[in-house]
Amino acid sequence: MGDVKKSLKDIGSFMKLPGANLFITKTADLFNWANKSSLWPLSFGLACCAIEMMATFSSRYDLDRLGMITRASPRQADLMIVAGTVTVKMGERIKTLYDQMTGPKWVIAAGSCAISGDHYRHVYSVVPGVDWIIPVDVYVPGCPPTPEAFIDGIMELQNIISNGKSNPTFNSVDSERPNINDIKVKKKEILFNENFIDGHSLINKCKEIKSEGYDYINFITATDFEDSLVLTYLFTKNNNNEKVEINVKLDSSNKIDSITQIYPGAEWQEREVFDMFGIKFENHPKLERILMPDDWVGYPLLKDYKMEQAKLPYRPSREDYESWKTKL
Ligand code: SF4
């Protein structure tokens, strides 16, 4: 240690010089201050939350005043704001972008989808929280979060950085997280109980509906009520937009006649229902998978579909997610 008293005296003399300013701090604090005052976020968004993020960056809220300038290249960005639903397909791209960002780098998970998958948590194509892939520093709840919430999250990150406490947060270990296949699905009663017809009369009923002028088929969809599958058909009259709906409760064979001969537009809709629910449409001209690969195992929208059984790259297993993370 030098002569502290002398040093302070020298500083005192120095401060008397016109226009002189002296600032004493630790370099770590200086760097933290510089980092938190110049967060450069990567310019990208994933879903509806990104619209709210754009509003936050616009002139009304003006994030420039916090030293934030969005960057189009991950090489120049040190903050990733994950705003929107993270699909499995995008998950790998997000991880790549994160890897390409300059360090030190931070991540804000904005909105319930990015935090936990939200409504889509159990959907086969959605990652149940971006922290399954990359470490997250701050979580901003909301669906979507308001611009004020975004700013609050950013300021929270700034505080963490200023205090030198910006250790990235990693996912909790497996034992703390319930196995996704053990979560009981709430059983719902059938909400509609009218317009049901017998499956054997479907073709005749569709012919009758078409002869009445319902020349457009809006959709065919199915619902898994666990004890049975229910098919729903909706038809419209093009001239006055009048609609009619019919429902068919299937027996355990899960087979029904195809209506493509009457409504050609049903062709791909029946394929989609087959792909997701495994319902066999007899006499369909080409009943093949339409969204999933031909060798896909199981039908993703059935309640008893096992989340972990499907194949890469569409539904990685928990272990696959973990292996991505260890590569970071
Ligand atoms: S949290 Fe809500 S607003 Fe945000 S991406 Fe998900 S559904 Fe959209």
Side-chain angles (χ1 to χ4, degrees):
M1 288 256 318
D3 187 337
V4 176
K5 275 189 184 164
K6 181 172 179 308
S7 298
L8 289 174
K9 200 171 158 210
D10 289 347
I11 291 166
S13 312
F14 177 76
M15 292 295 283
K16 284 180 193 149
L17 293 174
N21 283 303
L22 190 63
F23 180 76
I24 300 177
T25 185
K26 292 183 284 184
T27 45
D29 287 350
L30 180 66
F31 290 145
N32 286 341
W33 169 79
N35 279 331
K36 74 117 188 173
S37 308
S38 59
L39 288 168
W40 286 6
L42 182 60
S43 179
F44 91 116
L46 298 171
C48 7
C49 274
I51 306 296
E52 208 75 11
M53 182 173 70
M54 289 175 217
T56 315
F57 275 99
S58 67
S59 51
R60 184 180 177 89
Y61 295 96
D62 189 17
L63 284 183
D64 283 15
R65 68 202 156 101
L66 301 184
M68 297 180 73
I69 307 166
T70 54
R71 309 302 302 177
S73 163
R75 311 278 183 206
Q76 299 165 351
D78 59 1
L79 170 63
M80 178 182 271
I81 303 179
V82 183
T85 321
V86 182
T87 58
V88 172
K89 211 169 184 181
M90 275 306 286
E92 289 177 81
R93 277 94 184 146
I94 289 171
K95 184 192 161 291
T96 304
L97 288 169
Y98 179 81
D99 286 347
Q100 290 173 339
M101 280 166 56
T102 183
K105 53 192 165 189
W106 297 273
V107 176
I108 295 178
S112 350
C113 279
I115 293 172
S116 68
D118 199 22
H119 333 279
Y120 318 111
R121 183 175 173 79
H122 299 297
V123 176
Y124 65 97
S125 56
V126 169
V127 179
V130 73
D131 62 4
W132 282 49
I133 301 169
I134 54 174
V136 171
D137 296 278
V138 172
Y139 296 83
V140 180
C143 177
T146 58
E148 290 82 359
F150 268 94
I151 294 171
D152 193 50
I154 291 162
M155 291 174 78
E156 181 58 28
L157 178 62
Q158 287 186 322
N159 288 339
I160 294 171
I161 296 171
S162 313
N163 297 334
K165 291 181 183 164
S166 62
N167 291 331
T169 309
F170 282 94
N171 218 8
S172 57
V173 292
D174 267 359
S175 57
E176 291 170 16
R177 192 183 285 271
N179 185 329
I180 220 152
N181 290 321
D182 294 340
I183 299 171
K184 291 271 176 279
V185 180
K186 253 195 207 164
K187 289 190 181 180
K188 283 195 181 152
E189 290 173 13
I190 294 185
L191 299 175
F192 48 88
N193 53 13
E194 43 189 46
N195 301 330
F196 270 85
I197 62 161
D198 186 86
H200 297 107
S201 61
L202 177 69
I203 295 293
N204 286 339
K205 183 70 181 173
C206 286
K207 284 180 180 165
E208 183 189 318
I209 286 173
K210 188 147 193 188
S211 69
E212 288 169 5
Y214 294 92
D215 35 23
Y216 178 66
I217 180 155
N218 291 66
F219 65 75
I220 304 172
T221 189
T223 312
D224 181 357
F225 288 101
E226 292 191 307
D227 58 333
S228 65
L229 292 171
V230 171
L231 267 171
T232 303
Y233 298 78
L234 186 71
F235 306 91
T236 299
K237 281 183 182 172
N238 276 334
N239 58 354
N240 63 4
N241 212 25
E242 201 178 307
K243 294 188 185 342
V244 64
E245 177 189 308
I246 55 172
N247 297 297
V248 182
K249 188 170 176 175
L250 300 184
D251 61 25
S252 57
S253 70
N254 285 346
K255 287 182 182 168
I256 188 87
D257 286 323
S258 166
I259 62 164
T260 47
Q261 297 301 320
I262 308 158
Y263 288 96
E267 199 265 9
W268 69 268
Q269 304 205 27
E270 289 181 345
R271 275 181 72 186
E272 199 174 77
V273 173
F274 163 70
D275 203 5
M276 293 291 120
F277 292 89
I279 294 172
K280 318 273 181 316
F281 292 90
E282 297 194 302
N283 302 319
H284 187 286
K286 192 183 177 194
L287 196 62
E288 294 172 6
R289 295 266 195 195
I290 189 169
L291 299 172
M292 311 302 281
D294 290 340
D295 58 351
W296 189 262
V297 180
Y299 301 100
L301 291 186
L302 289 179
K303 293 254 169 74
D304 62 2
Y305 179 74
K306 295 276 179 291
M307 296 282 280
E308 305 286 7
Q309 75 184 11
K311 299 176 184 176
L312 283 168
Y314 302 90
R315 183 78 208 190
S317 66
R318 183 63 204 255
E319 288 71 33
D320 295 317
Y321 283 118
E322 289 301 324
S323 70
W324 292 1
K325 196 157 62 180
T326 50
K327 278 188 227 156
L328 292 175

